[in-house]
Amino acid sequence: MPKIMIIGAGGVAGVAAYKCAQAHEHFERIMLASRSISKCIGIRDRIKEKTGVEIEVAEVNAEDVPHLVSLIRSFKPDVVLNLALPYQDLKIMDACLEAGANYVDTANYEPEDVAHFEYSWQWAYKEKFKERGLIAVLGCGFDPGVSNIFSAFAQKHLFDEIHYIDILDCNAGNHGHPFATNFNPEINIREVTQVVRHWENGRWVETPSILNPGSVHFPFDYPVVGKKESYLLYHEELESLAKNIHGLKRIRFWMTFSENYINYLRVLQDVGMTRIDEVDYEGSKVVPIRFLKCLLPDPASLGSNYTGKTVIGNVITGIKDGREKSVYIYNVCDHSESFKEAGAQAISYTTGVPAMIAAMLVANGTWKGSGVFNAEEMDPDPFMELLGRYGLPWEQKDFAGRLPD
Ligand code: NDP
């Protein structure tokens, strides 16, 4: 039976470790390793109380590659699931190559000093993983992750040709704070304040960010939660899906934001609090966005009072048997039910569940290969089957509505 090592001890890692414990008959050993051992211990104790399953914990800083290599060598995992921050992705991939472990993550590498998301850095590892006979599967959370798998499933089963994909991510939840981010504020704010891009007719089209005049948005009528204003945003899966879904004419990503969130963020940006460079403060170097992170509620703490639902899915349009059709594939997840079950709000839950499933499929050899892949390059069927079993049932229906051109 396979062994899994999870790196990181945030909200997503807590859910993934809990789901591994739920699936313990599929794992010989489960290890959670992060730079704060106290957080690992907290997660381990909660899981033991809830499931009776004992997971192992270790302290490791992914910046210290030799230490990480020796930990991987001694534990010998069949897969390393990277749920630390995206800045560490390349170091953890290096350690996996050196120690001979397969690799899965949920976010693409991002340099710490530039808010820029691009797969080129990780795709450059393709040959090295191939030579070592190892597999790395990138971006296996919900979006990226399930959004990629929904696209692959549609390509395999529902269409002869796919022309348009619109990924729509709605958080209709309420955490009760005037302003908070649902996952690491640094990562979240970097993502939503960047220039927006979508891919159309073979090239990237830029539009203003959600905070600027001219940002593109429209009210989408989501199942269960109703109409929510949805903003065009750049998201990393656009890059890989534009490459891997053949015949695609356009792919876009939309995310809901409340007016309140946008107003707060605009003020924070205007006063410089979202800057990612160092500024001098009374002789000390301070990165404003990191200081802001200290002041904002810890995303992991939001879960206890979070109500409402997330609705995330893809509207896909293409040709089947000579006729145009559109389908909508989506999942609805409830914040308070996620918290009750796994001790985390729905954003962490919807990321941790697919991450565990992808890692399980790599660990048990269902997903195999040598090199670096994105989730849509893997067989979607076993993943789609496990998604419902581990807490994220999905719906598929014909879509008759209209999206903006
Ligand atoms: P958190 O910031 O809550 O947790 C990150 C964890 O990684 C923390 O426990 C942190 O340690 C640990 N960590 C950071 N640096 C290191 C290091 N150098 N060595 C070892 N451990 C380290 O993030 P989340 O749990 O919210 O998210 C996890 C990942 O999932 C992120 O990469 C995020 O971008 C991604 N994500 C993907 C989504 C998707 O749908 N695809 C959605 C949401 C998130 P410490 O506790 O000491 O700070």
Side-chain angles (χ1 to χ4, degrees), residues 121-371:
W121 291 286
Q122 285 172 290
W123 285 344
Y125 279 67
K126 199 172 185 88
E127 283 310 311
K128 291 187 203 163
F129 271 77
K130 213 173 184 172
E131 276 162 25
R132 295 281 277 120
L134 296 169
I135 180 168
V137 189
L138 309 177
C140 298
F142 204 104
D143 43 346
V146 177
S147 54
N148 303 57
I149 293 284
F150 283 169
S151 306
F153 178 79
Q155 180 164 259
K156 183 172 176 183
H157 296 291
L158 310 179
F159 292 94
D160 299 323
E161 261 175 62
I162 291 180
H163 293 165
Y164 303 104
I165 300 178
D166 284 277
I167 301 164
L168 295 124
D169 178 330
C170 168
N171 179 9
N174 181 3
H175 46 55
H177 293 268
F179 181 81
T181 62
N182 295 301
F183 59 96
N184 191 310
E186 194 179 332
I187 306 293
N188 185 212
I189 292 172
R190 284 164 70 112
E191 177 180 286
V192 301
T193 52
Q194 65 179 316
V195 173
V196 172
R197 284 182 294 151
H198 74 273
W199 191 88
E200 188 160 359
N201 295 325
R203 63 185 189 94
W204 292 102
V205 179
E206 286 193 2
T207 45
S209 96
I210 64 160
L211 303 183
N212 291 320
S215 66
V216 181
H217 52 101
F218 78 109
F220 183 74
D221 195 3
Y222 291 89
V224 185
V225 300
K227 278 194 178 161
K228 301 281 171 204
E229 205 60 23
S230 304
Y231 290 76
L232 200 59
L233 198 71
Y234 178 71
H235 226 236
E236 61 212 57
E237 64 265 53
L238 302 185
E239 188 186 7
S240 69
L241 287 168
K243 188 169 156 267
N244 292 324
I245 301 292
H246 309 295
L248 201 57
K249 294 181 181 170
R250 185 184 65 208
I251 179 161
R252 301 179 293 191
F253 184 95
W254 306 86
M255 190 177 270
T256 59
F257 296 101
S258 66
E259 233 172 88
N260 180 63
Y261 178 93
I262 290 177
N263 286 339
Y264 267 88
L265 199 53
R266 190 176 286 128
V267 172
L268 290 169
Q269 177 164 277
D270 288 350
V271 299
M273 281 304 291
T274 60
R275 281 174 61 172
I276 62 172
D277 55 329
E278 282 184 343
V279 297
D280 191 76
Y281 175 70
E282 295 184 349
S284 304
K285 298 281 180 210
V286 177
V287 178
I289 198 168
R290 298 238 161 108
F291 181 66
L292 176 63
K293 182 184 168 196
C294 297
L295 304 177
L296 290 176
D298 176 359
S301 73
L302 301 177
S304 51
N305 293 315
Y306 223 132
T307 55
K309 295 178 195 310
T310 59
V311 185
I312 318 175
N314 299 11
V315 172
I316 303 176
T317 302
I319 306 289
K320 180 72 181 169
D321 299 329
R323 292 180 54 194
E324 187 176 273
K325 70 169 192 170
S326 294
V327 294
Y328 182 29
I329 315 175
Y330 62 93
N331 161 263
V332 179
C333 187
D334 186 276
H335 285 288
S336 58
E337 280 171 21
S338 301
F339 187 75
K340 227 184 289 161
E341 185 203 330
Q345 31 83 346
I347 311 291
S348 301
Y349 190 91
T350 55
T351 311
V353 170
M356 183 286 283
I357 293 171
M360 187 204 275
L361 293 174
V362 166
N364 66 21
T366 306
W367 277 0
K368 46 177 174 275
S370 300

Side-chain angles (χ1 to χ4, degrees), residues 9-12 35-36 39 60-62 84 86 88 106 142-144 184 351:
V12 177
R35 66 179 173 195
S36 333
K39 289 196 185 169
V60 74
N61 188 336
Q88 279 87 35
T106 57
F142 204 104
D143 43 346
N184 191 310
T351 311

Side-chain angles (χ1 to χ4, degrees), residues 36-83:
S36 333
I37 189 73
S38 57
K39 289 196 185 169
C40 298
I41 291 171
I43 292 172
R44 177 195 68 190
D45 293 350
R46 198 177 64 229
I47 290 174
K48 169 87 178 152
E49 200 182 303
K50 206 107 199 194
T51 64
V53 175
E54 191 89 51
I55 67 165
E56 297 164 61
V57 294
E59 187 168 272
V60 74
N61 188 336
E63 300 288 332
D64 181 354
V65 175
H67 180 207
L68 183 55
V69 168
S70 76
L71 186 69
I72 297 173
R73 281 206 175 117
S74 66
F75 187 67
K76 296 188 179 58
D78 296 273
V79 66
V80 168
L81 174 57
N82 168 15
L83 297 175

